[in-house]
Amino acid sequence: MNEPTPYYHPTGHQVAAVEVHRPTPLTPAHTAPLMHVQPGAMAAVTSIVLPDGRVVTGYAMEPAKPEPVAVKPAVSRTAVNIALGGVGFLAVCGGLLMLTAFITALTALITQLITLVAVIFGGWIAVQVFSASGHSGGNTFNIRKAVFKRNHFNG
């Protein structure tokens, strides 16, 4: 609100004198050294006359060539990776199925072997217990005519 404007200066403020600074032009310090160029390596200098009569001189430039676009494959890599993952998963599932079938068959074989051993061993024990042709231990009594009187044996 109390800022000075071009039309109004509050009392007690003095307007400072304006100083104008004009820049001095810089002179180039050194020019670039000239390099020897083969005659065929440098492009030809071209001059163009503008409609107002000025002449512009410069090197002719080749138009920029666009970079070749990479050819995309018919099938994306993501689809190929997903398909390969599915094939691998199916292979693993088949292997797991065969592993469970192998474990089941091995369990059945072990069960049958245990049953066979129990039957053979049990049969061997039964033959040993009930055989009469084996060794006979103890005394043999031939009782022909015996008379039992009052819980007393007379033979």
Side-chain angles (χ1 to χ4, degrees), residues 7-153:
Y7 306 106
Y8 172 73
H9 297 290
T11 57
H13 289 106
Q14 297 290 331
V15 177
V18 177
E19 295 181 19
V20 177
H21 296 282
R22 301 203 187 273
T24 57
L26 297 175
T27 58
H30 298 290
T31 59
L34 296 174
M35 298 179 65
H36 179 68
V37 178
Q38 296 292 333
M42 181 163 278
V45 177
T46 306
S47 296
I48 300 174
V49 179
L50 297 177
D52 60 353
R54 293 182 295 164
V55 177
V56 178
T57 305
Y59 293 104
M61 297 180 63
E62 295 180 17
K65 295 180 182 176
E67 293 185 16
V69 179
V71 178
K72 291 186 177 181
V75 180
S76 70
R77 290 186 182 201
T78 306
V80 171
N81 289 339
I82 291 172
L84 289 176
V87 169
F89 182 73
L90 288 177
V92 168
C93 288
L96 290 176
L97 182 63
M98 290 184 66
L99 181 65
T100 55
F102 174 75
I103 291 173
T104 305
L106 187 63
T107 305
L109 176 69
I110 292 172
T111 304
Q112 288 176 357
L113 287 177
I114 291 172
T115 305
L116 181 65
V117 168
V119 167
I120 291 173
F121 186 67
W124 181 77
I125 291 176
V127 167
Q128 294 300 319
V129 169
F130 295 115
S131 71
S133 64
H135 81 162
S136 58
N139 298 324
T140 302
F141 296 100
N142 292 324
I143 303 174
R144 302 211 175 178
K145 291 181 181 179
V147 178
F148 290 95
K149 290 185 180 177
R150 293 188 191 178
N151 295 331
H152 183 64
F153 176 71

